[in-house]
Amino acid sequence: AGGPELTGSEAEAVLEAVRTRVDDADWIACCGSLPRGLAPEWYAELVARAHRAGARIALDTSGPSLTAALRERPDVVKPNAEELAQAVGRPLATVGEAVKAAEELREQGARAVLASLGADGQLLVDETGAYFGTARVAAVRSNVGAGDASLAGFLTAGGSGPAALASAVAHGAAAVQLPGSAMPTPADLDPSAVVTTADVPLDRALTEPA
């Protein structure tokens, strides 16, 4: 369940392998919890080394490893509502409360926060402001992998701004309509079903408060 346990030398070898292979990479996506044996600061060190090598970092993790990495200014962090609430230490009941929590993560170092609010949509908070995106979904078949699909959509569209948010929402919406952990293909996407706005509905109650 927890994956393998890495020794100190193995942990260093992984960091060094990332550093030596980022020359042609625009983005490095760091997703999931850390294997046993790694301190929460391991992702922070990876972010620092990747930045020194000229790559941008997308970080999709939670708990102490997310908190520790913020000081190294990851380019985007991607919490869901529950992880966002955990990071700020309080429940979130509205979209506005999620925006405030995302702003706090930016104050702690995140350059941008892409937050999934489940059925309510997705939120992007960056240096230019806050944006909210939703999509029509005919029927939810599986939520498994939807977050990964959203992040992939965000990065393939450039990894910043409302256009990337729209791509994230389109990919996430396509993923939840597929069975199991199936990833959407371009043919599965329906950009016309997506609406993004800078007029964020701050008072909207979250369908699933976190």
Side-chain angles (χ1 to χ4, degrees), residues 72-183:
E72 296 296 343
R73 305 210 68 209
D75 299 274
V76 60
V77 297
K78 199 213 148 293
N80 60 30
E82 183 179 355
E83 293 162 346
L84 186 57
Q86 180 187 40
V88 296
R90 64 177 184 274
L92 305 175
T94 67
V95 172
E97 289 176 7
V99 170
K100 188 171 189 311
E103 288 172 343
E104 289 177 25
L105 294 197
R106 290 199 66 247
E107 289 167 4
Q108 294 174 47
R111 290 187 166 106
V113 179
L114 176 67
S116 170
L117 304 180
D120 295 304
Q122 293 191 52
L123 185 66
L124 174 64
V125 180
D126 62 18
E127 73 278 1
T128 68
Y131 307 91
F132 185 66
T134 58
R136 296 188 312 275
V137 173
V140 174
R141 298 181 70 184
S142 172
N143 289 317
V144 178
D148 294 328
S150 291
L151 181 57
F154 188 75
L155 298 182
T156 58
S160 66
L165 172 62
S167 178
V169 173
H171 280 74
V176 300
Q177 296 178 82
L178 296 172
S181 59
M183 285 290 108

Side-chain angles (χ1 to χ4, degrees), residues 149 153 156 166-175 177 184-194:
T156 58
S167 178
V169 173
H171 280 74
Q177 296 178 82
T185 67
D188 297 311
L189 303 178
D190 183 8
S192 68
V194 177

